[in-house]
Amino acid sequence: NAGVIQTPRHKVTGKGQEATLWCEPISGHSAVFWYRQTIVQGLEFLTYFRNQAPIDDSGMPKERFSAQMPNQSHSTLKIQSTQPQDSAVYLCASSSPGFTEVFFGKGTRLTVV
Amino acid sequence: AQSVTQPDARVTVSEGASLQLRCKYSYSATPYLFWYVQYPRQGLQLLLKYYSGDPVVQGVNGFEAEFSKSNSSFHLRKASVHWSDSAVYFCAVRMPNYNVLYFGSGTKLTVEP
């Protein structure tokens, strides 16, 4: 079990460019969560999928951010027209159907220059 | 407003000393409660969780936490810390009828030799 895999671990983008972050949940897990971590805001919930369906995206910024889960083996978080304030560590997590424990990936550190 | 509060941003203790990290929550109903630890450049790892029953729960690596309904608290304790316990500790909650974890701001623990 390799755990939740996030790629890339580090990404540097220029202001205005697009960034796509990838997450591979643990095999058999039915729920996927995305969080954003910054020094100022801490750990912020972004969005949540269950059985590939979007359940709650209440934490997603209304513009430029989108998430998808096209199949049970991966989810993506896409940020269009990146801005310096998007710089953060983006964490993906997955959970089994019973939600007894949520497992986190190591995160993708996004730097917008 | 619903919230999870960790009042101490930084805590420094000497190796071998006892430890308490504080967590208070403000929710209309008693949530499920969790403590996670984050080592540098790593994802979050679950230390322990409380759903119901005995208010003192045991976790990994000698950690325990005590739930207090009257104080709306879930403080983390360890009898004797080791230098390897230096990390950031997060208190988290989730409501019984919902699967999203919400985190406190974290406490950075430094264990001095």
Side-chain angles (χ1 to χ4, degrees):
Chain A
N1 183 350
V4 177
I5 298 173
Q6 291 190 247
T7 54
R9 291 293 314 278
H10 303 273
K11 187 173 182 65
V12 180
T13 63
K15 182 179 175 181
Q17 292 185 329
E18 182 177 286
T20 300
L21 313 181
W22 293 73
C23 172
E24 180 180 331
I26 293 172
S27 178
H29 281 193
S30 59
V32 169
F33 307 85
W34 284 95
Y35 288 84
R36 177 169 63 183
Q37 184 175 25
T38 61
I39 298 294
V40 174
Q41 298 294 331
L43 274 160
E44 299 175 278
F45 165 73
L46 294 177
T47 189
Y48 154 45
F49 295 85
R50 187 172 66 220
N51 296 323
Q52 301 172 234
I55 302 299
D56 183 350
D57 66 354
S58 59
M60 291 279 274
K62 299 305 179 203
E63 298 180 350
R64 303 186 294 106
F65 281 67
S66 62
Q68 294 184 325
M69 192 163 183
N71 56 60
Q72 63 185 7
S73 63
H74 88 272
S75 175
T76 57
L77 180 67
K78 183 180 293 186
I79 309 172
Q80 295 178 314
S81 185
T82 54
Q83 303 297 311
Q85 61 265 30
D86 299 331
S87 296
V89 175
Y90 290 84
L91 292 168
C92 178
S94 71
S95 179
S96 62
F99 294 95
T100 52
E101 185 171 345
V102 178
F103 294 85
F104 284 80
K106 294 182 178 181
T108 294
R109 180 175 296 277
L110 175 68
T111 303
V112 182
V113 298
Chain B
Q2 301 186 123
S3 65
V4 183
T5 302
Q6 294 180 247
D8 304 310
R10 296 174 180 271
V11 169
T12 300
V13 297
S14 299
E15 192 166 21
S18 63
L19 170 72
Q20 177 173 276
L21 302 182
R22 297 182 291 166
C23 173
K24 298 202 72 171
Y25 62 90
S26 176
Y27 281 78
S28 54
T30 301
Y32 295 157
L33 296 154
F34 305 81
W35 276 98
Y36 280 81
V37 62
Q38 186 178 36
Y39 298 101
R41 295 172 296 281
Q42 299 292 318
L44 284 81
Q45 300 171 26
L46 180 67
L47 281 178
L48 46 77
K49 59 189 175 188
Y50 175 80
Y51 288 173
S52 65
D54 188 336
V56 179
V57 291
Q58 303 297 320
V60 298
N61 297 333
F63 285 94
E64 67 174 28
E66 183 166 7
F67 164 68
S68 171
K69 186 171 183 177
S70 60
N71 293 323
S72 298
S73 66
F74 189 56
H75 300 330
L76 182 70
R77 302 188 299 230
K78 187 170 185 179
S80 176
V81 296
H82 187 264
W83 65 267
S84 60
D85 293 324
S86 295
V88 182
Y89 292 79
F90 292 93
C91 182
V93 305
R94 87 170 165 87
M95 298 312 295
N97 60 347
Y98 200 57
N99 299 314
V100 176
L101 284 167
Y102 292 94
F103 290 87
S105 54
T107 298
K108 183 174 183 178
L109 173 67
T110 301
V111 180
E112 293 182 331

